[in-house]
């Protein structure tokens, strides 16, 4: 469909090979950041992680972490109780089942506590440049406002976007995240500044 192709091209043109705003130095830090970022802002995660990674610099130290101590480092993060438990379980599983090496395939990543499809895809997108789409709240909102999907779940929305866009999914995912975060915001979207305004028929559109 011509309109969908235009949307894709404009995303790729306006966001030149975008990457996540999460700050990380290695694969271990990436997976922890992505797990913490679920239903939490990247900005908040970036405030938490410097001290967290000082205390737990690698997967082994995280696997051996004391739960209460770990919670104290991430308590300003949403759902920190669950996340702390999942981080330790995830690290233990990597040490026990994968010789301390974080797996880089979707099936093995999804076998880890606290790692669902979106988290697995974001890790593979950011670390490997994998041709995956991941649907967070921003991507979900943007894809529905642009009438790219009518699906009720993030997983089904991901299927729609993957079918429509086919390639460059890693860049398109991140472009849609940034677009949703700063332009096509949940409240008061910046429609007058939007490069997709002429292709948008959303009821949320502010003229």
């Amino acid at each position: 469909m011509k309109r969908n192709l235009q949307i894709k091209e404009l995303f790729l043109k306006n966001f030149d090979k975008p990457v996540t705003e999460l700050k990380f130095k290695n694969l271990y830090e990436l997976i922890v950041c992505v797990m913490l970022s679920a239903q939490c802002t990247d900005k908040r995660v970036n405030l938490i992680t410097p001290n967290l990674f000082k205390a737990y610099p690698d997967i082994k130290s995280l696997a051996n972490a004391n739960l209460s101590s770990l919670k104290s480092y991430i308590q300003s993060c949403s759902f920190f109780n669950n996340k702390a438990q999942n981080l330790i379980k995830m690290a233990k599983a990597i040490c026990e089942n994968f010789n301390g090496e974080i797996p880089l395939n979707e099936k093995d990543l999804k076998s880890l506590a606290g790692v669902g499809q979106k988290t697995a895809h974001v890790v593979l997108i950011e670390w490997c440049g994998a041709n995956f789409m991941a649907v967070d709240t921003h991507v979900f909102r943007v894809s529905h406002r642009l009438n790219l999907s009518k699906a009720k779940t993030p997983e089904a929305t991901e299927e729609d976007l993957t079918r429509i866009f086919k390639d460059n999914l890693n860049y398109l995912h991140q472009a849609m995240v940034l677009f949703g975060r700063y332009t096509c915001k949940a409240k008061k979207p910046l429609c007058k500044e939007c490069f997709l305004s002429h292709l948008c028929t959303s009821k949320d559109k502010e003229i």
Side-chain angles (χ1 to χ4, degrees), residues 22-127:
L22 292 168
K23 294 188 170 79
F24 61 93
K25 295 191 191 78
N26 51 49
L27 181 55
Y28 159 68
E29 291 189 2
L30 172 61
I31 194 168
V32 171
C33 286
V34 178
M35 287 175 70
L36 288 173
S37 73
Q39 292 168 296
C40 183
T41 65
D42 288 4
K43 195 183 264 185
R44 166 62 50 196
V45 173
N46 289 337
L47 290 172
I48 292 168
T49 48
N51 287 332
L52 176 68
F53 293 141
K54 214 175 276 181
Y56 310 104
D58 52 38
I59 206 82
K60 196 173 178 187
S61 55
L62 185 62
N64 294 316
N66 172 275
L67 182 60
S68 299
S69 299
L70 178 56
K71 283 181 184 179
S72 71
Y73 284 100
I74 67 168
Q75 62 188 1
S76 65
C77 188
S78 53
F79 306 104
F80 73 92
N81 285 311
N82 278 351
K83 286 177 180 177
Q85 290 174 0
N86 282 335
L87 284 168
I88 292 173
K89 284 182 195 167
M90 175 273 294
K92 280 186 190 299
I94 286 170
C95 290
E96 290 164 14
N97 305 334
F98 301 100
N99 300 318
E101 297 288 325
I102 296 164
L104 283 171
N105 67 78
E106 183 180 2
K107 181 173 170 281
D108 288 341
L109 281 170
K110 283 167 70 175
S111 75
L112 303 170
V115 179
Q117 185 157 303
K118 178 180 79 85
T119 298
H121 282 191
V122 172
V123 168
L124 293 168
I125 285 167
E126 293 303 329
W127 195 254

Side-chain angles (χ1 to χ4, degrees), residues 140-174:
F140 189 84
R141 179 174 66 256
V142 167
S143 55
H144 284 71
R145 279 182 175 168
L146 288 172
N147 203 27
L148 295 167
S149 175
K150 290 186 168 70
K152 299 283 192 285
T153 65
E155 291 78 15
T157 304
E158 182 199 301
E159 285 176 25
D160 286 341
L161 294 174
T162 302
R163 190 182 65 253
I164 289 167
F165 292 144
K166 295 184 176 59
D167 55 20
N168 285 303
L169 297 179
N170 53 329
Y171 296 132
L172 288 161
H173 153 73
Q174 197 54 53

